[in-house]
Amino acid sequence: MKSELEYTNLAGISGPLIFVQGVKGVGYGDLVEIRNGSGEVRTGQTLEVDEEIAVVQVFEGTTGLSIKGTRTTFIGKPLEIPTHREMLGRVFDGLGRPIDGAPQVISDLMMNINGLPINPYMREYPRDFIQTGISAIDGMNTLIRGQKLPIFSGSGMPHNRIAAQIARQARLLTAHEEFTVIFVAMGVKFDIARFFIDSLEESGVLPRSAVFLSLADAPSIERLITPRVALTLAEYLAFTEGMHVLVILTDMTNYCESLRELSSSRGEIPSRKGYPGYLYSDLASIYERAGRIQGAKGSITQIPILTMPSDDISHPVPDLTGYITEGQIVLERELFNKGVYPPIAGLPSLSRLMKDGIGEGRTRKDHAQVAAQLFASYAKVKRIRALAAIVGEEELSDLDKIYLRFGNVFEERFLSQGYNENRSIETTLDIGWEMLSVLPEEELYRISKEDIQRYYIPQKGDV
Amino acid sequence: MEEAAITGRIISVNGPIVKAEGLVEISMFDIAEVGPDRLIGEVIRLEEDLAIIQVYEDNTGLKPGDEVRSYGRPLSVLLGPGLIANIYDGIQRPLIGIAESCENHTLMGIVDRCYIKKGIKIAPLDPEKKWDFKPTVKEGDIVREGSVIGELQETELVLHKTIVPPGIAGKVEFIAEAGGYSIEDSIYTVVQGKKNYNGKLADYWPVRKPRPFKSKKNPVTPLITGQRILDTFFPIARGGTAAIPGGFGTGKTMTQHALAKWCNADIIVYIGCGERGNEMTEVLNDFPRLVDERTGRPLMERTVMIGNTSNMPVPAREVSIYTGVTIAEYYRDMGYNVAVMADSTSRWAEALRELSSRLGDMPAEEGFPPYLATRLAEFYERAGLVETLSNEEGSITIIGAVSPPGGDFSEPVTQHTTRFIRCFWALDKILADARHYPSISWIESYTEYLNDIQEWWKELDSEWMTLRNDAMNILLEDTRLQQIVKLVGPDALPVSQRFILFCAEIIKNAFLQQNSFDPKDMYCSPDKQVKLLKAIICFFRKGKELLSCGLELSKLQSLDAVSEMVRLKSEIGNDEIEKIDAFIQRLESSLNSLKEEVNISHTPDFSKGKSVVKE
Ligand SMILES: Nc1ncnc2c1ncn2[C@@H]1O[C@H](COP(=O)(O)OP(=O)(O)OP(=O)(O)O)[C@@H](O)[C@H]1O
Ligand SMILES: [Mg+2]
């Protein structure tokens, strides 16, 4: 049953919101069609209703709308999009409408863009290792199929290149299955979108990708819809069509700014830095759409990218993201300035799902211990560097000097690699051992004697 | 069986908050069924003839004019056999039941089963399952509130006692004989004055109302968690309260999971409040497979889970902790020790904030409502060691995770929580970044239970308190010395202080660090904890003595036993601790032979060169 109700004139406009008076039978969350005097159509959603007034957010923004002559039609259902396999290889705008010149995809299956919460009892715990070919990720912060693992970056750092490299190189070791990529741009410039599309094209991934663009010049409210539209398609492809979908969302900071804008125009009490108190729940409604479910073959892996304002990890956007995602890849300004690519920070980066996806039969038996030892030893390097800055390097003990050497080769050989360099997990772990072998054997207390015997490379002159 | 309903109409919808008129005689905290899908809601405020209802399910599509009905009953939890091993959402809808209710086997059906749709109504406890009930009273007996009238085996681990609910007392007129009964069968009748009370195996209790008990007692038994830093340094008592604050990724959930797995409570209530779906799935996968060392049974057989994840409706998150703690009280009243894990209380507080802001309340700090502290106090107050109505001892230990924004403990939720808890297990971002797990700070954490529970440990080993304090002092001294080291480097310190730094390093690596994924180390028995500590402190005491006799520090540092000591925790299982005794003997004898060396060649320590400061 579909009830359509049309009203002329508005009671008010404020920021991205319009107020429609005298409404009857309008449901909370209902989709709204808005026509201005010249017949141009926009889309909106009801945020609040009472017996008199409906508050509607307009996704395309309110520029060019006037009180008089604007007509609103309330469609008695929430925003839905068609979902279909044919949507791969296509480019859409932020509301899911094609912008590549080809016609709208027709499908019988219309899905509510807000999705539904997955029953935790029906989730499948993610355990399959994805080889990205990047040592810092595969070796120390392993990505798992179905994980949500964001990249925390700062302005000017190469997060887009890293994401593109992952999209290009991501492989499962166990099965020869390719990833379907969904690329979602929110408030980024056209050249970044172009870079991704080109990169997907070059590597031949474009025909099995879908691109959703809500660029910097699009109305900011539209961005609140874009990730939801894209994830609705992702859910269909993963859980109904059985595909492995990698969703790249960039830039979540822009998304959050739009949410802040909407919240402030509703006059809500802000929480930290003006962001609404429900930012955590709102972000969770996006990030929690990653994962695997029982009985379905496919998966949704999310790589949200966000730039931390002034590189501050405690800013609400990275902070609340970190509280929801299953770890984070943090880019570090200091490494970036040293010319290290990818500048993935050794300590604050973490993959929480790594533990179940690695080891014998998945990657290699020594993987967990090598990673733990690299982390521990690199943490010590950081401490010694801080000390050296005060007392001077000459004053350090011999062991501390060895640690410094370890720190340098670790950054130069292990972390650094080419944009086109695709390392197998064996190569990554072997380089890891090469690095650890710079240290005396006794220092490797996180590694079993057995593995030390097998992999440790005694230095010349040591024996 | 439908009772007369009160009905009214919606006049406005703002997020999950609905205002309705016409609900005369409705009371605060009554359940309301809202709109055509009869979504579950609760009356949270009454203003003249308006009822303000918070809706616990996705309420998109609700319209002004839609009907609201109520039966004048408060929001309640159904308490009875079948709770254990189950998983519920915040308002006690069974998540397994929800999945199984979608029988459809088409592909879309499979996908459909995985989601929680609105308006689903499924009983929290299986109404058909027969339980093997044995009465423990006879007809004619006099029973009081809290009296046990019969028993049934709920799981291999849990003997479920059927209890006369609070407020009921009198003569047993009828009691069912031993046999199989469902929760809907009449089991007993108590004559109370002129009225008869008809008892069943299950009964409702309002979530927001604490269940009564006789008296609170002072806790004296530690809750053993198997986590060394907690049991040895910051122990909690059965019936106590603890908070685990920490920024993202510092180990709150890992600690809560470790406790739920290994602590020696009889019943675990695990509340996932506004956190990740996969973390609930992990518990659901792990617990049926993990076996309790003491009983040999799967851990799931003592666990009840509440999972209201971050993407599920926010208002239900607010109720989830009450649902959990009410279930805990129910088992406490049977005389059990229950441990409640709430991960995370910050998400609960945020739900409170969101709802109060939609109601237009005047906010206090950071947008939180002024009643935040009161609500927190009420929640933690439901913990405690009590004498139950039937004169037994039962306890509830509450361990709440706190997720402060930016990891900054000065924010309101952490600050208010510290006023109502007695154990503070502070997680430290720096330790977490260095992969020192568990990342519990030995500087910022504290416990107020140490004196209450030390007798228990002393019975295990009379030296316990001394060992613990020695180790703690080394760690505190280390923190102080590290400040100096930061300025001048370690070599400027006298040898005795460098030895303290060295021993502190051993304590951190060999004792404090405990990897939850290490099969031998994830649970450390009290015996093993004491023995490990003994080994370290033995090294410390003897080493100190040797240094004062002039032994070179490097001789101590390069002892084979030292690198062996760091590996003891993960190489020696809980059932082979005699091996630690053997190690201590070897350690002592190698230290003794060093002593002989010193006695022969008595040379003072100039090993680390130039700047040995005079002590
Ligand atoms: N005791 C431990 N042993 C091994 N690893 C640990 C331990 N504690 C924490 N970790 C590591 O730290 C990661 C994060 O821990 P956890 O999920 O408990 O963080 P959290 O504090 O709950 O974070 P959030 O607030 O985001 O939920 C884990 O995935 C694991 O890799
Ligand atoms: Mg957590």
Side-chain angles (χ1 to χ4, degrees), chain B residues 207 209 258 269 277 321 331 458 498 507 515 588 597:
Chain B
V207 276
K209 185 171 159 195
V269 178
I321 68 166
Y331 286 97
K458 282 188 182 156
R498 290 210 316 267
I507 297 177
N515 187 334
E588 280 179 336
E597 252 176 69

Side-chain angles (χ1 to χ4, degrees), chain A residues 352, chain B residues 252-253 275-276 279 343:
Chain A
R352 305 196 192 187
Chain B
K252 296 178 292 296
T253 306
E275 290 289 314
R276 301 171 184 81
E279 291 172 350
D343 185 13

Side-chain angles (χ1 to χ4, degrees), chain B residues 83-105:
Chain B
L83 291 166
I84 304 283
N86 227 325
I87 173 166
Y88 297 104
D89 75 355
I91 50 169
Q92 213 202 3
R93 289 187 304 177
L95 294 178
I96 301 175
I98 288 178
E100 283 169 356
S101 71
C102 317
E103 281 293 327
N104 201 331
H105 290 298

Side-chain angles (χ1 to χ4, degrees), chain A residues 3 25-30 45 47-52 78 109 112 114-127 140-141 146 148 152 235-236 239-241 266 268-272 276-278 280-281 284-285 288-296 313-314 318-328 346-353 355-356 372 375-376 379-380 383 386-387 390-391 395-397 400 441-442 444-449 452, chain B residues 9-16 21 58-65 87 94-100 107-108 110-111 113-118 246-250 252-254 273-282 284-286 289 307 309-314 317 347 350 353-354 356-358 360-363 366-367 402-407 429 432-437 485-491 505 509 513 517 563-564 566-567 571 608 610:
Chain A
S3 65
V26 168
Y28 164 66
D30 276 2
Q45 187 179 17
L47 293 182
E48 206 177 315
V49 274
D50 63 21
E51 294 189 302
E52 275 295 296
L109 193 62
N112 181 339
N114 292 311
L116 285 167
I118 300 177
N119 185 338
Y121 175 70
M122 292 303 288
R123 277 184 189 266
E124 184 84 57
Y125 196 77
R127 294 176 192 280
M140 298 173 72
N141 303 289
K148 36 191 180 292
F152 287 7
E235 278 168 357
Y236 168 79
F239 302 141
T240 307
E241 297 281 347
R266 293 185 70 189
E268 290 168 341
I269 304 159
S271 156
R272 285 173 72 216
Y278 50 79
Y280 173 85
S281 300
S285 74
E288 277 289 309
R289 290 173 83 170
R292 304 185 54 192
I293 59 174
Q294 281 176 38
I313 198 167
S314 68
D319 190 48
L320 294 177
T321 297
Y323 271 124
I324 303 163
T325 53
E326 288 146 342
Q328 64 281 337
L347 303 184
S349 302
L350 168 73
S351 163
R352 305 196 192 187
L353 301 187
K355 55 186 199 301
D356 290 310
F375 274 123
K380 191 150 177 187
R383 282 204 301 275
L387 180 65
I390 295 161
V391 299
E395 294 292 310
L396 296 176
S397 71
D400 285 356
E441 206 180 305
E442 313 80 74
L444 308 186
Y445 61 94
R446 298 269 175 114
I447 302 188
S448 70
K449 292 233 168 74
I452 292 187
Chain B
R9 293 180 328 110
I10 297 182
I11 61 161
S12 77
V13 188
N14 175 3
E21 61 177 16
D58 170 22
N59 63 335
T60 48
L62 279 187
K63 305 181 187 63
I87 173 166
L95 294 178
I96 301 175
I98 288 178
E100 283 169 356
L107 179 59
M108 278 317 287
I110 290 176
V111 173
R113 276 181 67 159
C114 294
Y115 296 108
I116 302 173
K117 275 155 282 178
K118 58 180 172 182
F248 65 78
T250 48
K252 296 178 292 296
T253 306
M254 291 289 298
C273 174
E275 290 289 314
R276 301 171 184 81
N278 275 334
E279 291 172 350
M280 301 313 287
T281 312
E282 195 178 3
L284 285 168
N285 285 344
D286 286 355
R289 286 195 312 242
T309 56
S310 56
N311 55 342
M312 283 154 78
V314 173
R317 195 191 292 171
R347 306 301 165 219
E350 280 163 19
R353 172 170 72 186
E354 188 172 334
S356 99
S357 102
R358 288 199 196 264
D361 289 348
M362 215 29 193
E366 298 194 16
V402 185
S403 318
K429 179 85 183 126
D433 277 356
R435 270 54 175 179
H436 172 114
Y437 296 129
V485 169
K486 255 191 215 151
L487 298 176
V488 295
D491 289 351
E505 207 55 31
N509 291 333
Q513 286 191 23
F517 307 122
S563 59
E564 205 181 325
V566 179
R567 291 197 164 93
E571 279 169 6
K608 284 276 159 118
K610 27 190 202 322

Side-chain angles (χ1 to χ4, degrees), chain B residues 265-516:
Chain B
D266 304 311
I267 309 281
I268 304 290
V269 178
Y270 190 94
I271 310 168
C273 174
E275 290 289 314
R276 301 171 184 81
N278 275 334
E279 291 172 350
M280 301 313 287
T281 312
E282 195 178 3
V283 176
L284 285 168
N285 285 344
D286 286 355
F287 280 40
R289 286 195 312 242
L290 285 172
V291 169
D292 180 17
E293 284 205 359
R294 288 159 297 139
T295 55
R297 300 295 310 173
L299 290 170
M300 204 60 193
E301 292 185 359
R302 62 164 194 182
T303 310
V304 186
M305 292 175 64
I306 313 290
N308 209 94
T309 56
S310 56
N311 55 342
M312 283 154 78
V314 173
R317 195 191 292 171
E318 190 266 327
V319 198
S320 66
I321 68 166
Y322 300 108
T323 301
V325 83
T326 306
I327 292 173
E329 286 172 345
Y330 178 60
Y331 286 97
R332 173 203 68 192
D333 292 345
M334 295 178 203
Y336 290 119
N337 295 300
V338 188
V340 176
M341 322 286 157
D343 185 13
S344 159
T345 58
S346 294
R347 306 301 165 219
W348 165 83
E350 280 163 19
L352 208 62
R353 172 170 72 186
E354 188 172 334
L355 297 164
S356 99
S357 102
R358 288 199 196 264
L359 292 169
D361 289 348
M362 215 29 193
E365 316 118 288
E366 298 194 16
F368 286 105
Y371 45 82
L372 171 67
T374 324
R375 294 285 173 88
L376 275 168
E378 282 166 4
F379 172 62
Y380 283 107
E381 199 48 36
R382 291 175 81 166
L385 172 69
V386 305
E387 183 175 337
T388 65
L389 295 177
S390 57
N391 306 323
E392 287 206 56
E393 243 183 33
S395 71
I396 294 181
T397 310
I398 297 184
I399 297 153
V402 185
S403 318
D408 174 3
F409 293 175
S410 66
E411 58 89 40
V413 182
T414 319
Q415 281 307 309
H416 289 306
T417 302
T418 55
R419 295 163 49 198
F420 312 119
I421 49 97
R422 295 184 59 200
C423 240
F424 191 71
W425 296 331
L427 293 168
D428 181 344
K429 179 85 183 126
I430 295 172
L431 291 177
D433 277 356
R435 270 54 175 179
H436 172 114
Y437 296 129
S439 319
I440 297 169
S441 160
W442 48 94
I443 305 301
E444 275 185 279
S445 302
Y446 61 80
T447 177
E448 291 174 14
Y449 295 108
L450 194 58
N451 287 331
D452 301 336
I453 55 99
Q454 56 168 312
E455 286 310 316
W456 187 94
W457 280 95
K458 282 188 182 156
E459 216 139 280
L460 187 72
D461 190 307
S462 57
E463 238 206 321
W464 181 74
M465 200 62 179
T466 330
L467 291 171
R468 180 208 176 264
N469 290 347
D470 277 3
M472 198 66 209
N473 287 335
I474 295 173
L475 289 169
L476 293 176
E477 185 64 5
D478 172 69
T479 311
R480 194 182 66 83
L481 293 175
Q482 291 293 352
Q483 300 302 323
I484 305 174
V485 169
K486 255 191 215 151
L487 298 176
V488 295
D491 289 351
L493 296 179
V495 88
S496 63
Q497 295 189 336
R498 290 210 316 267
F499 183 59
I500 290 194
L501 296 182
F502 185 67
C503 289
E505 207 55 31
I506 295 180
I507 297 177
K508 291 177 209 168
N509 291 333
F511 195 82
L512 295 179
Q513 286 191 23
Q514 190 174 358
N515 187 334
S516 289

Side-chain angles (χ1 to χ4, degrees), chain B residues 533-543 584 587-588 591:
Chain B
L533 202 57
K534 270 210 160 123
I536 298 168
I537 298 301
C538 160
F539 174 76
F540 168 68
R541 290 181 187 156
K542 286 238 148 101
I584 296 180
L587 175 70
E588 280 179 336
L591 288 169

